Amino acid sequence: MAATVNMSRVLTRAIFRHTLLRKPASAGWAYRNHRSLCATVKTAAESSHRENQVPEDPREKQALDNGVDEKVAECTEAEKQLMEQIASLSKENESLIEKVADYQDKYQRTLADRENLRNRLEKQIVEAKQFGIQGFCKDLLEVTDVFHKAIESVPAEKINKENSDFKNLYDGLVMTENQLLTVFRRHGLMQITPQIGDKFDPSVQEAMFELSLPDKEPGTVAHIIRSGWSLHSRCIRSAQVGVVQE
């Protein structure tokens, strides 16, 4: 089939050269030069036949086979190199995918750490605003204790007597204590006042001593020594109480 195609191509080229590329001198040019045309066609056919003819000499066959083997070897080597490049690129792609996943994980962790740090700083700022006066409040609580002891030390019968100066002094102490407690509440400072019979709470109460009272429930408050205080729900001074012995 290939020989037939080649023969057709040779004949076509030969006729093209004799008919189109040469300018005819007269109308009978084709008849006068038919011998030359036939010779050209014959020469082209013989050349094509020689090209397509399989060599009978074993050495020529071996040379032809060697050429084919070399081309096959070259293709095989090229395929091998291509496969090696594909394998190398696949490994590189897997490595890049792992690096991207690692970087993405580190990025997510960094964002989470940054968010936690921001929340922690905001909490510390709020606590600094709320509890920045904690030391000052503790010092003022000592003043409150003095006012409370001064008021409690006045007997009720002396207040009811007609001594206006003493009564005015007493009323002034009570008003000063109330005003001080109002300022404390305005700034989040609240008094912790346990009641007799309440269950002892170690988070806001401090047991100073124990009492043996058979008629009282063990582990309850039996006596109050001093009230406690909390600043924005944080206990800054525990209430001192006496507890029923278990």
Side-chain angles (χ1 to χ4, degrees):
M1 184 65 181
T4 303
V5 173
N6 293 334
M7 187 63 185
S8 299
R9 291 178 179 175
V10 170
L11 292 174
T12 302
R13 289 197 299 269
I15 294 171
F16 180 78
R17 286 198 299 270
H18 283 81
T19 57
L20 297 179
L21 299 180
R22 295 182 181 180
K23 295 182 180 179
S26 62
W29 173 85
Y31 295 99
R32 292 196 300 269
N33 295 281
H34 67 282
R35 291 181 179 178
S36 177
L37 176 61
C38 292
T40 302
V41 172
K42 183 178 180 181
T43 302
E46 291 176 355
S47 177
S48 176
H49 178 72
R50 286 195 301 270
E51 292 176 357
N52 296 303
Q53 187 177 7
V54 178
E56 295 180 357
D57 191 352
R59 288 178 295 181
E60 294 182 358
K61 283 186 177 182
Q62 184 65 29
L64 182 61
D65 293 340
N66 291 338
V68 173
D69 293 340
E70 290 178 359
K71 292 182 179 180
V72 172
E74 291 178 359
C75 293
T76 305
E77 185 67 23
E79 291 179 357
K80 183 178 179 181
Q81 293 179 358
L82 181 61
M83 294 300 295
E84 290 177 355
Q85 291 179 359
I86 292 175
S88 177
L89 291 175
S90 298
K91 291 182 180 179
E92 185 177 357
N93 184 40
E94 292 177 358
S95 177
L96 290 175
I97 291 175
E98 291 178 357
K99 287 182 179 180
V100 169
D102 184 50
Y103 289 151
Q104 187 175 6
D105 180 68
K106 290 181 179 178
Y107 175 71
Q108 296 293 337
R109 291 178 182 274
T110 302
L111 288 180
D113 293 340
R114 179 177 176 273
E115 185 66 19
N116 293 335
L117 178 61
R118 186 181 65 83
N119 294 334
R120 186 163 57 251
L121 289 176
E122 289 181 354
K123 183 179 180 181
Q124 290 178 356
I125 291 173
V126 172
E127 290 181 351
K129 291 180 180 179
Q130 291 180 347
F131 304 108
I133 60 174
Q134 179 173 332
F136 181 67
C137 291
K138 286 183 176 180
D139 293 338
L140 288 180
L141 293 180
E142 302 296 333
V143 179
T144 306
D145 293 338
V146 172
F147 273 108
H148 187 70
K149 290 179 180 179
I151 293 172
E152 284 185 343
S153 63
V154 179
E157 59 274 8
K158 290 186 177 181
I159 299 174
N160 296 329
K161 290 184 177 180
E162 296 181 356
N163 189 348
S164 59
D165 294 335
F166 185 79
K167 188 175 185 306
N168 291 334
L169 178 60
Y170 177 82
D171 292 340
L173 289 174
V174 173
M175 292 175 61
T176 303
E177 184 188 28
N178 292 334
Q179 184 64 28
L180 188 60
L181 295 178
T182 302
V183 174
F184 285 172
R185 287 192 295 268
R186 187 185 304 158
H187 292 277
L189 189 61
M190 305 297 295
Q191 192 172 15
I192 301 174
T193 307
Q195 302 296 326
I196 301 298
D198 290 346
K199 189 70 175 178
F200 175 72
D201 186 2
S203 61
V204 294
Q205 297 172 3
E206 180 182 3
M208 304 302 295
F209 56 88
E210 291 183 344
L211 297 174
S212 179
L213 300 175
D215 56 338
K216 300 291 183 179
E217 182 180 358
T220 57
V221 177
H223 182 75
I224 300 172
I225 302 175
R226 187 183 67 180
S227 298
W229 292 87
S230 64
L231 180 62
H232 297 291
S233 301
R234 176 191 291 183
C235 181
I236 62 174
R237 194 181 78 172
S238 300
Q240 295 179 351
V241 297
V243 183
V244 178
Q245 186 177 7
E246 296 182 359

